[in-house]
């Protein structure tokens, strides 16, 4: 039996960059990309040093580009800079001073715009507020905020004084806040009274209060008034943001920080166990995010750039805050849900603000498809020129929908593969240069030595599946897991000698394009064939009745594992045994009999993490007929799980 992951799904559609797009793009042909890429991986240090000089503003130049002592990297050691200065002050000397940095819309419809000058002023003031409460360089600050400019202001204010922010996603519960406060040993929390979501108010402050029961460590809670919901104030501990801002001056010089000064900790839940505090540091992270924002989105001065992620995820950190602002971009930020008050809210925003770059997730795209074309079709989306996706493999049929219905068959799709740990986009098309194929993140970014290897670290031949690794350090890589060096080494640097292991399975096609086949832990073993989950799911989604699919294995005496597919249908489609059979047949045709699901189970919804990833681990437990015993704190909607369990009992 071979250990390699097999691949059977064939995708022949290719979309070449249009001449019009290529003409003005930063990288305008595949040859240009290839030439630059070849040079960049031959000598990554030279490449990154050149980028660092062009992209960032330094107080003091570095001495060494890279000091690598596996698994510990130091990039630009000896260099001094400040991330907030790079995102703000540098833009104040010319025309960008009066350019919109943030355009914000609240879910109820309020609008605010902050120019670079205004954002700078707010950040300086809030940095002074933090200082007034004795926050110093290196101290950790928890930020638990709705999607509003003050969340960005708080992050940049920390960066300005060298405090380390740890943003906790506003959808997380008190328990999650508590864990993160404890693990990071934070001294201060920045929050809001509440934030709007789907017409309701999320009681953020109340969650903080609960998290802080019996907590001695947090000295201050700064509360931004957003939703005007009633809250309780603990005398001596809790203070209002707006009051605090009255006491301080608007002048706050940025701290001169080491290139490797910690910038933030961001916790990822992982599929099991305790959340990991991923640590990113200043110069390398900023460089990676700024360079990728420029090239991957082909960013231009006049763009209106919108990334729909929450600020509490790495995508929000890298591609709402640090990457775009370092480039002096105009960023649109929206507080609420895509289906409030109606399912066309995103398209309305794109039309109203003339969004040119739009970056979202496959889970959202699949929801848009389920809701129907009428919603995007109501709006003029012709301002768009680049559209992107991140977070999961995008099924080819979802890609085609995104390309035609949202992108008007005109906009390149950048399918960007990366992770909280990588900090920046690692594998992605460069629009204007890379021919696109639906369902693949295509080729590595400059300076990124990505490969698909077997257990010994040897590259596997084309179209054979293996482990996705990065073979050389890159500037925005995580530096460690906060407080857990052992786990850092074990998780990322022990699986394959001398390489960073991503945890993902992938294959490369004959053009060298990377196809992510799913997490390695989810790979199925059916009668000695190792199958990734994403191809079977994509085959299911290519059936016109199917909106979303998740495939898992269940123990089977004969085959080792049987294939179980959980499927949700598009609006107006009806589940039943006959459709189940047709879907099984459909998969057999698209991929081969080996992948034909043994069971097809229809569900109203699939269990997802709060960032929209399908939790296959839970489905595996359900499919196996057992109890759900694993950690479910990151589950978005517990009812989905209850309903799925109910169905299993009957079926
Ligand atoms: C998955 C999100 C396929 C992958 C930035 C990765 C993707 C994990 C893609 C990281 C993509 C992300 N195609 N799979 N374009 N982007 N993934 O830490 O499994 O929330 O390892 O970072 O998401 O998720 P994280």
């Amino acid at each position: 039996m071979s250990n390699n992951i097999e691949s059977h799904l064939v995708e022949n559609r290719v979309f070449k960059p249009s001449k019009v797009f290529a003409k003005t793009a930063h990288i305008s042909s595949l040859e240009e990309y290839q030439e630059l890429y070849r040079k960049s991986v031959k000598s990554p240090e030279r490449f990154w040093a050149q980028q660092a000089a062009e992209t960032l503003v330094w107080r003091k130049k570095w001495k060494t580009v890279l000091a690598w002592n596996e698994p510990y990297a130091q990039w630009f050691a000896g260099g001094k800079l400040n991330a907030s200065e790079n995102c703000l002050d540098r833009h104040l000397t010319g025309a960008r001073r009066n350019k919109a940095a943030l355009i914000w819309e609240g879910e109820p419809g309020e609008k605010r715009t902050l120019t670079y000058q205004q954002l700078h002023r707010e950040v300086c003031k809030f940095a002074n507020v933090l200082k007034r409460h004795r926050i110093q360089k290196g101290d950790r600050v928890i930020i638990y905020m709705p999607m509003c400019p003050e969340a960005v202001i708080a992050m940049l204010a920390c960066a300005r004084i060298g405090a380390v922010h740890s943003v906790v996603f506003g959808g997380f519960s008190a328990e999650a806040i508590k864990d993160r406060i404890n693990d990071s040993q934070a001294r201060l929390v920045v929050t809001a009274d509440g934030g709007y979501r789907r017409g309701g108010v999320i009681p953020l402050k109340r969650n903080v209060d609960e998290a802080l029961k019996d907590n001695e460590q947090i000295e201050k809670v700064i509360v931004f008034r957003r939703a005007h919901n009633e809250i309780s104030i603990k005398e001596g501990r809790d203070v209002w943001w707006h009051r605090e801002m009255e006491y301080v001056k608007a002048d706050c010089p940025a701290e001169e920080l080491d290139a490797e000064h910690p910038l933030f900790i961001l916790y990822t839940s992982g599929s099991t166990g305790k959340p990991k505090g991923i640590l990113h540091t200043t110069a390398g992270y900023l460089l990676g995010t700024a360079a990728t924002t420029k090239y991957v989105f082909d960013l231009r001065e006049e763009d209106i750039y919108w990334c729909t992620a929450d600020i509490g995820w790495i995508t929000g950190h890298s591609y709402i805050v640090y990457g775009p602002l370092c480039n002096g971009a105009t960023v649109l930020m929206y507080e609420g849900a895509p289906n409030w008050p109606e399912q066309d809210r995103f398209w309305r925003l794109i039309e109203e603000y003339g969004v040119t770059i739009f970056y979202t997730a496959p889970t959202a795209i699949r929801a848009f498809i389920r809701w129907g074309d009428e919603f995007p079709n109501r709006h003029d989306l012709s301002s768009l020129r680049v559209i992107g996706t991140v977070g999961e493999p995008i099924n080819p049929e979802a890609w085609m929908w995104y390309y035609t219905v949202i992108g008007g068959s005109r906009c390149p799709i950048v399918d960007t593969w990366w992770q909280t740990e990588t900090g920046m986009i690692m594998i992605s098309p460069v629009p204007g240069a890379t021919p696109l194929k639906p369902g693949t993140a295509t080729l590595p970014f400059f300076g990124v030595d990505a490969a698909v290897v077997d257990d010994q670290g040897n590259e596997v031949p084309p179209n054979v599946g293996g482990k996705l690794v990065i073979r050389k350090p890159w500037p925005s890589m995580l530096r460690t897991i906060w407080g857990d060096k052992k786990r850092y080494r074990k998780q990322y640097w022990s699986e394959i000698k001398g390489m960073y292991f991503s945890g993902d399975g992938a294959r490369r096609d004959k053009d060298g394009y990377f196809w992510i086949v799913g997490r390695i832990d989810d790979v199925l073993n059916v009668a000695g064939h190792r199958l990734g989950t994403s191809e079977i799911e994509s085959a299911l989604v290519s059936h016109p009745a199917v909106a979303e699919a998740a495939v898992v294995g269940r123990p089977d005496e004969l085959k080792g594992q049987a294939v179980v597919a959980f499927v949700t249908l598009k609006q107006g489609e009806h589940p039943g045994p006959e459709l189940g059979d047709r879907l099984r047949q459909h998969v057999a045709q698209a991929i081969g009999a080996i992948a034909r699901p043994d069971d097809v189970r229809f569900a109203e919804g699939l269990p997802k993490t709060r960032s929209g990833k399908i939790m296959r681990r839970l489905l595996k437990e359900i499919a196996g007929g057992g109890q759900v015993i694993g950690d479910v704190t990151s589950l978005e909607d517990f009812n989905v799980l209850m309903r799925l369990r109910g169905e299993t009992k009957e079926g």
Side-chain angles (χ1 to χ4, degrees):
M1 190 191 89
S2 132
N3 260 331
N4 294 324
I5 304 165
E6 297 174 20
S7 173
H8 303 271
L9 194 68
V10 186
E11 175 59 65
N12 291 321
R13 290 169 285 198
V14 180
F15 298 81
K16 294 225 170 93
S18 81
K19 289 213 175 73
V20 185
F21 192 100
K23 214 168 131 193
T24 57
H26 289 306
I27 309 288
S28 53
S29 70
L30 186 60
E31 293 68 39
E32 190 183 347
Y33 160 83
Q34 283 165 335
E35 176 63 14
L36 256 169
Y37 179 74
R38 204 179 44 75
K39 278 196 200 144
S40 74
V41 283
K42 204 168 148 216
S43 174
E45 290 171 47
R46 187 185 303 160
F47 171 77
W48 288 117
Q50 193 193 344
Q51 287 293 318
E54 277 172 23
T55 313
L56 302 182
V57 175
W58 295 85
R59 292 270 187 95
K60 194 170 153 220
K61 203 186 161 189
W62 60 89
K63 288 209 177 74
T64 358
V65 180
L66 170 67
W68 178 230
N69 179 13
E70 192 193 317
Y72 299 106
Q74 287 197 343
W75 282 91
F76 308 108
K80 303 259 188 202
L81 77 172
N82 182 289
S84 113
E85 186 171 87
N86 269 278
C87 291
L88 300 168
D89 308 50
R90 69 184 299 180
H91 305 309
L92 301 184
T93 51
R96 277 189 193 153
R97 180 182 178 80
N98 300 317
K99 177 179 176 177
L102 287 180
I103 299 177
W104 176 79
E105 189 167 304
E107 194 184 72
E110 316 93 308
K111 300 174 197 308
R112 275 167 73 193
T113 299
L114 288 162
T115 63
Y116 273 94
Q117 189 273 333
Q118 290 169 322
L119 183 61
H120 173 260
R121 186 179 159 85
E122 295 298 303
V123 168
C124 287
K125 285 175 73 179
F126 196 68
N128 281 333
V129 171
L130 293 174
K131 281 204 237 172
R132 220 171 77 87
H133 293 295
R134 295 186 297 112
I135 293 298
Q136 294 172 355
K137 194 162 126 181
D139 286 345
R140 272 82 62 205
V141 171
I142 297 280
I143 299 176
Y144 181 65
M145 296 280 275
M147 283 286 287
C148 64
E150 280 66 23
V152 179
I153 291 166
M155 289 165 77
L156 292 175
C158 288
R160 194 161 191 89
I161 61 173
V164 182
H165 60 71
S166 186
V167 183
V168 179
F169 170 53
F172 274 137
S173 61
E175 198 60 30
I177 309 170
K178 199 165 136 186
D179 289 348
R180 287 154 178 75
I181 289 174
N182 287 341
D183 191 78
S184 66
Q185 293 289 300
R187 290 185 36 218
L188 186 144
V189 176
V190 185
T191 188
D193 48 2
Y196 288 94
R197 187 83 191 171
R198 222 159 277 144
V201 171
I202 299 180
L204 297 169
K205 174 62 165 60
R206 200 171 74 203
N207 294 343
V208 170
D209 290 342
E210 207 179 312
L212 292 185
K213 255 186 226 154
D214 313 318
N215 178 300
E216 308 265 289
Q217 171 195 321
I218 293 293
E219 295 158 22
K220 279 285 169 246
V221 177
I222 303 178
V223 188
F224 175 66
R225 185 138 77 199
R226 160 72 190 117
H228 294 265
N229 49 322
E230 210 172 295
I231 62 165
S232 60
I233 290 279
K234 185 168 167 182
E235 251 357 281
R237 186 194 70 186
D238 303 348
V239 294
W240 284 108
W241 175 298
H242 59 273
R243 288 270 163 73
E244 294 297 307
M245 293 290 260
E246 287 168 10
Y247 303 132
V248 292
K249 290 213 216 82
D251 167 43
C252 176
E255 281 279 328
E256 186 172 293
L257 299 170
D258 288 337
E260 282 294 336
H261 186 74
L263 181 60
F264 65 86
I265 304 168
L266 184 62
Y267 288 85
T268 73
S269 7
S271 46
T272 48
K274 172 168 166 272
K276 299 175 278 195
I278 304 299
L279 178 72
H280 282 288
T281 57
T282 304
Y285 172 80
L286 201 59
L287 175 61
T289 55
T292 46
T293 305
K294 176 176 166 190
Y295 290 108
V296 171
F297 298 105
D298 191 47
L299 188 70
R300 299 214 216 119
E301 201 58 54
E302 63 277 16
D303 276 315
I304 306 277
Y305 166 97
W306 184 22
C307 164
T308 69
D310 192 278
I311 210 105
W313 309 124
I314 192 67
T315 308
H317 283 57
S318 300
Y319 297 107
I320 295 176
V321 185
Y322 290 105
L325 296 181
C326 194
N327 279 289
T330 295
V331 174
L332 175 69
M333 189 176 182
Y334 166 60
E335 178 186 35
N339 52 353
W340 188 266
E342 275 196 87
Q343 281 102 317
D344 69 339
R345 184 64 181 269
F346 276 14
W347 321 126
R348 218 170 54 130
L349 286 160
I350 290 176
E351 177 172 4
E352 178 169 345
Y353 293 99
V355 171
T356 56
I357 301 174
F358 177 67
Y359 190 30
T360 194
T363 181
I365 295 168
R366 293 187 304 252
F368 302 145
I369 296 174
R370 195 164 59 229
W371 294 337
D373 295 8
E374 61 169 293
F375 297 104
N377 288 346
R378 276 185 202 167
H379 296 277
D380 177 5
L381 306 179
S382 62
S383 58
L384 291 173
R385 57 179 207 93
V386 178
I387 56 181
T389 151
V390 58
E392 281 179 289
I394 179 166
N395 315 117
E397 289 318 310
W399 193 101
M400 287 305 303
W401 182 90
Y402 194 34
Y403 186 73
T404 50
V405 179
I406 304 306
S409 305
R410 173 189 76 247
C411 306
I413 296 182
V414 288
D415 174 355
T416 62
W417 178 88
W418 59 295
Q419 309 178 294
T420 304
E421 292 87 342
T422 69
M424 68 175 207
I425 294 168
M426 302 292 276
I427 303 178
S428 166
V430 181
T434 316
L436 309 173
K437 302 180 198 178
T440 160
T442 75
L443 299 166
F445 188 72
F446 305 119
V448 173
D449 185 10
V452 179
V453 300
D454 62 20
D455 291 343
Q456 283 69 48
N458 304 309
E459 262 191 286
V460 295
N463 287 320
V464 173
K467 290 174 172 157
L468 176 57
V469 295
I470 312 295
R471 294 186 292 198
K472 288 195 188 88
W474 65 102
S476 65
M477 62 187 267
L478 78 163
R479 296 302 192 262
T480 189
I481 295 177
W482 184 256
D484 201 344
K485 283 186 170 179
K486 243 173 134 174
R487 192 171 175 198
Y488 168 64
R489 184 186 288 274
K490 182 158 180 291
Q491 183 104 29
Y492 305 109
W493 298 94
S494 302
E495 185 84 11
I496 296 152
K497 207 167 163 274
M499 300 176 192
Y500 169 85
F501 174 49
S502 66
D504 285 353
R507 69 176 165 97
R508 298 186 81 169
D509 66 17
K510 61 175 188 354
D511 297 322
Y513 283 28
F514 286 79
W515 296 76
I516 310 297
V517 303
R519 301 289 296 171
I520 281 285
D521 297 344
D522 295 329
V523 167
L524 312 178
N525 194 332
V526 182
H529 299 272
R530 284 167 45 88
L531 306 172
T533 50
S534 84
E535 291 190 347
I536 311 179
E537 287 161 5
S538 289
L540 286 160
V541 173
S542 73
H543 189 281
V546 175
E548 199 157 38
V551 165
V552 298
R554 108 171 117 61
D556 183 274
E557 266 181 35
L558 227 57
K559 299 200 281 182
Q561 273 185 315
V563 180
V564 181
F566 291 84
V567 167
T568 66
L569 298 177
K570 286 193 193 143
Q571 248 155 31
E573 300 288 345
H574 301 289
E578 201 237 341
L579 180 58
D581 280 344
R582 267 191 281 142
L583 293 180
R584 296 175 64 235
Q585 201 43 40
H586 183 75
V587 174
Q589 248 159 28
I591 303 184
I594 183 71
R596 178 193 285 131
D598 294 270
D599 305 346
V600 173
R601 296 194 188 172
F602 296 100
E604 278 167 52
L606 300 174
K608 294 188 183 170
T609 64
R610 289 167 191 273
S611 63
K613 294 191 212 304
I614 295 167
M615 291 178 85
R616 287 186 191 71
R617 180 172 55 80
L618 298 184
L619 292 173
K620 229 184 275 180
E621 289 166 359
I622 291 169
Q627 292 281 328
V628 174
I629 42 174
D631 177 30
V632 290
T633 47
S634 55
L635 185 66
E636 196 210 2
D637 177 3
F638 200 73
N639 289 323
V640 167
L641 189 60
M642 301 294 276
R643 279 198 296 271
L644 280 169
R645 269 189 194 148
E647 281 193 19
T648 330
K649 273 190 199 115
E650 288 155 24

